[in-house]
Amino acid sequence: MIGEIPGVTSGQMFPNRRSLHDAGVHRPLQAGICGTSRTGAESIVVSGGYKDDEDHGTVIVYTGHGGRDPQSEKQIADQSLADPGNAALVTSYLEGLPVRVIRGAQSQSPNAPSAGYRYDGLYSVTSFGSRMGNDGFRVWQFRLEALVLTDQSSAPYSENLPLQPEGAPIQRRLVTTQRVVRNTGFARQVKTWHRDQCQVCDTRLIVPGGTYSEAAHIQALGAPHHGPDIVGNILCLCPNCHVLFDSGAIYLRDDFVVMAGNSEIGPLRLDPRHHIRLAFVQNHRARWRY
DNA sequence: GGGCCCGCAGGG
DNA sequence: CCCTGCGGGCCC
């Protein structure tokens, strides 16, 4: 289950890993990452298991799975993105999915609880990469930033994260969750049908961990457009074509020819399983007075 | 405190 | 079935 667990609030304490499991907050009893490459990461536990971690409160640098000697807790081999836990965090990054964060008392961070485990709410994976770890082997690391869900598309946005005073409660950065709310099951279905290939330009972006595309709503979500989040209102586009489409630089005719101004760009690539509703195409055109 | 080993749950 | 893991308890 991705996202918040009903009945569990941020800041809630748990005595041990078994109780986290029983509440559904973090299901594995020992592993730090829960999830798969297909679904993304559900949750992570930050409890000092890897010395390359950094916990700045609203920002966490979390080290992936693998390469560690269970006895000495030292890295004895390079980590790999093929490790299922690491691959899950890549999917969370690519799809903008929220990750539950739990802090454990064993972490050295001032943000850690004094005993047991504390659920600290949802974070977003904002970047990832690899570097040489303290023990001389390659580690993969994921930057996570605290997320506050908001319906306000015009929510304040702070590019510079304030430094966290030691011991202070974790201040949450207010962010827009456009990418999160747009990664519904319907968006995923459309992207699966098109295998991440752009319906306008046929680009399929290859990135470490898989392929990438974006779900573009034809009639935009939210006020003032109020488009629905259904497959008939979604296109599978590359990021460039997504920007062009959302800004009205390109649009669709009723015969699904892609237009730029008065010029025909070419036919939209269609899939028989994916029925695009013309009402939304017409709404998109009207928005740009085409 | 550290070392050891037994668990279980999840994922392939 | 296999393997692995940001536990945890017990022993010294």
Side-chain angles (χ1 to χ4, degrees), chain A residues 16 18 20-21 55 64 114 207 211 253:
Chain A
N16 49 38
R18 168 61 68 176
L20 281 169
H21 167 271
D55 182 0
S114 56
V207 296
T211 53
R253 258 182 1 206

Side-chain angles (χ1 to χ4, degrees), chain A residues 187-267:
Chain A
R188 192 173 296 191
Q189 175 67 81
V190 170
K191 293 199 274 189
T192 300
W193 279 335
H194 294 281
R195 294 181 313 169
D196 286 327
Q197 190 171 15
C198 178
Q199 289 184 258
V200 169
C201 72
D202 286 340
T203 294
R204 178 183 289 119
L205 292 178
I206 312 286
V207 296
T211 53
Y212 178 83
S213 64
E214 295 182 355
H217 286 83
I218 302 168
Q219 179 174 336
L221 296 176
H225 312 292
H226 302 297
D229 186 35
I230 58 177
V231 293
N233 190 35
I234 292 173
L235 298 175
C236 175
L237 299 180
C238 71
N240 280 354
C241 289
H242 192 177
V243 169
L244 293 173
F245 188 77
D246 276 359
S247 63
I250 59 175
Y251 63 95
L252 295 175
R253 258 182 1 206
D254 276 359
D255 58 0
F256 295 115
V257 168
V258 181
M259 302 290 292
N262 292 322
S263 307
E264 295 187 8
I265 301 298

Side-chain angles (χ1 to χ4, degrees), chain A residues 21-32:
Chain A
H21 167 271
D22 292 346
V25 176
H26 187 75
R27 298 185 295 122
L29 292 179
Q30 192 170 342

